[in-house]
Amino acid sequence: MRRMSRSLLAIVLAATAMPAFAQDRTERLLGELADAPGPSGFEEAVRAIMVREMKASTDQISYDGMGSVIAAHGSSGPKIMLDAHMDELGGVVRRVTPTGFLSMQMLGGWLDQALPDQRWIIIGSKGPVHAVTGIRDIHVVPTEERGKVFPRDSLYLDVGARSAADVAKLGLSAGDPVVPDAPFVALPGGRYLGKAWDDRVGCAVVLEALRRLAASGHPNRLFVAATVQEEIGLRGARTASDLIKPDIGIAIEGGITGDSPGRNLEETQAALGAGPGIFLYDSSTLPNRKMVALVRDVAAAKRIPLQTDLVQGYGDDSAAIQATAGGVPTVNLVVPARYTHAHNGIIDRADFDGMVDLVVGLIQRLDAKTVAHLRDFAPTN
């Protein structure tokens, strides 16, 4: 390796000594939520952030029997459920080998090609432990196998241990949660790199919407639900809905973009930075048609660019909310995100801000008369 020149060394040292750009409140919140560990069933760290932020806007906080958080605001009017899920894709330690490697049960919809040679954090009894999923060395892989995907069952977590006893000394055992190691980074142009935008971006949206609505007022009883275990079956949304019994349901999710190279136009048409989105179809639910029309009307009135999309192979909490309390008109609104269900994703701040404006405007429109119209299915002739 060549020595670094003095001028280049000076530049590097100066850059590392520079203070980070000042963050505003929203950016700090997005970073904190993205970095928090919270795979399905292990949402404690995210829940602590959500409760802290909710308490700044309301003192009416409750929990369902699975760990979802419900913040209520308003004492009269129809019941509006605003939902985002706290859990992210991750894993759980399955077993420890005699030589100190750990096998992992994946939690949520991972692609096998997203798993090899990635860094992870295992939350053990003595605190976090860094790990990496191994990968075969190219020098020994036959040419005909180099383009193949490594199946997940062939992967093991390597924590640097030499034996099972070493693993135990680290405080690790079967059942410990595993999360991607992918720290939040603010990119140029108002874009953010990080893990778990599905659905920490939604968590930040509902918190900011609650804060603004608590200050400005609204014509309904608002229930902001931060739910658990969405990635393994929409479970928390179902139990939270059982308690709330909403008249209207609004789910906020991380969307899917199709604007990076190599994408099929039919997969998704959404683009980063082109505004918040609404799903007209996904494989778990169809939105209420009148709700879709209302969302479009609010977006147009507020001059918010609104992207529409139809996506296969996607499920969201609105499906669970929709099927409770005798049937609930619902809609799924999304903040576009690149590279979901992987270690690193990217969102655009303008899409986030537009979504908050849209949600606030929508909830302010949901008075008793409007909700009655949305829930009226009687024929008009």
Side-chain angles (χ1 to χ4, degrees):
M1 182 182 294
R2 293 185 299 175
R3 285 187 179 181
M4 188 181 296
S5 70
R6 288 186 179 181
S7 58
L8 180 56
L9 178 60
I11 293 172
V12 171
L13 292 175
T16 56
M18 284 181 181
F21 290 110
Q23 291 182 314
D24 65 8
R25 177 187 179 279
T26 297
E27 186 173 306
R28 287 194 300 271
L29 179 61
L30 284 166
E32 186 179 13
L33 284 167
D35 284 344
S40 302
F42 303 92
E43 297 93 350
E44 291 86 354
V46 187
R47 183 161 50 241
I49 298 170
M50 298 300 291
V51 170
R52 181 197 73 205
E53 296 295 319
M54 288 171 168
K55 283 182 176 178
S57 301
T58 180
D59 56 3
Q60 302 177 55
I61 296 177
S62 60
Y63 306 85
D64 70 9
M66 292 184 64
S68 302
V69 187
I70 304 168
H73 190 274
S75 58
S76 64
K79 292 189 287 186
I80 311 301
M81 180 175 175
L82 178 61
D83 163 281
H85 68 87
M86 296 184 287
D87 59 314
E88 64 184 292
L89 292 194
V92 62
V93 174
R94 186 186 295 151
R95 61 182 61 88
V96 181
T97 72
T99 54
F101 292 88
L102 300 86
S103 62
M104 177 168 49
Q105 171 64 47
M106 306 314 300
L107 296 175
W110 286 99
L111 289 172
D112 282 8
Q113 54 260 51
L115 300 174
D117 196 38
Q118 293 285 357
R119 294 188 180 196
W120 306 81
I121 296 175
I122 309 171
I123 311 299
S125 62
K126 296 181 180 179
V129 176
H130 290 270
V132 64
T133 38
I135 188 168
R136 291 174 68 192
D137 195 299
I138 191 170
H139 299 295
V140 297
V141 176
T143 303
E144 64 274 13
E145 294 184 20
R146 291 178 183 178
K148 293 183 178 179
V149 175
F150 290 90
R152 64 188 60 195
D153 289 340
S154 70
L155 301 176
Y156 288 83
L157 293 163
D158 187 344
V159 296
R162 294 177 173 83
S163 65
D166 285 350
V167 173
K169 289 177 183 177
L170 293 171
L172 302 179
S173 61
D176 288 339
V178 185
V179 293
D181 184 2
F184 173 87
V185 177
L187 300 175
R191 292 183 169 178
Y192 302 132
L193 170 67
K195 69 174 182 64
W197 293 131
D198 177 9
D199 186 27
R200 304 296 163 69
V201 67
C203 289
V205 167
V206 301
L207 288 174
E208 181 62 15
L210 173 62
R211 187 181 71 84
R212 287 174 51 178
L213 288 164
S216 65
H218 52 87
N220 42 53
R221 287 178 287 168
L222 175 63
F223 295 86
V224 175
T227 60
V228 298
Q229 299 188 33
E230 189 268 357
E231 296 292 358
I232 56 173
L234 317 180
R235 299 175 184 179
R238 188 170 296 110
T239 53
S241 297
D242 286 341
L243 293 180
I244 297 169
K245 296 180 173 55
D247 296 306
I248 296 293
I250 304 168
I252 309 298
E253 267 282 9
I256 303 171
T257 62
D259 60 350
S260 52
R263 297 299 180 94
N264 181 342
L265 181 62
E266 286 303 314
E267 292 178 354
T268 172
Q269 291 80 47
L272 209 64
I278 179 173
F279 274 11
L280 304 179
Y281 167 90
D282 70 49
S283 50
S284 70
T285 186
L286 284 170
N288 177 276
R289 292 178 65 188
K290 293 179 181 178
M291 282 282 287
V292 171
L294 179 61
V295 170
R296 283 176 158 156
D297 185 55
V298 171
K302 289 185 167 291
R303 298 183 179 180
I304 300 169
L306 181 67
Q307 303 189 75
T308 59
D309 215 346
L310 295 86
V311 179
Q312 299 278 359
Y314 187 105
D316 70 90
D317 275 352
S318 70
I321 300 168
Q322 187 180 62
T324 61
V328 179
T330 61
V331 69
N332 185 45
L333 304 178
V334 298
V335 179
R338 286 181 184 158
Y339 325 125
T340 64
H341 282 221
H343 269 59
N344 301 283
I346 298 176
I347 61 169
D348 190 289
R349 175 62 181 271
D351 295 335
F352 174 88
D353 291 339
M355 177 61 82
V356 174
D357 290 342
L358 178 62
V359 170
V360 169
L362 177 61
I363 291 174
Q364 287 175 333
R365 288 276 294 273
L366 290 173
D367 56 16
K369 180 179 179 181
T370 301
V371 170
H373 169 70
L374 296 174
R375 293 181 60 88
D376 182 6
F377 293 92
T380 57
N381 53 14

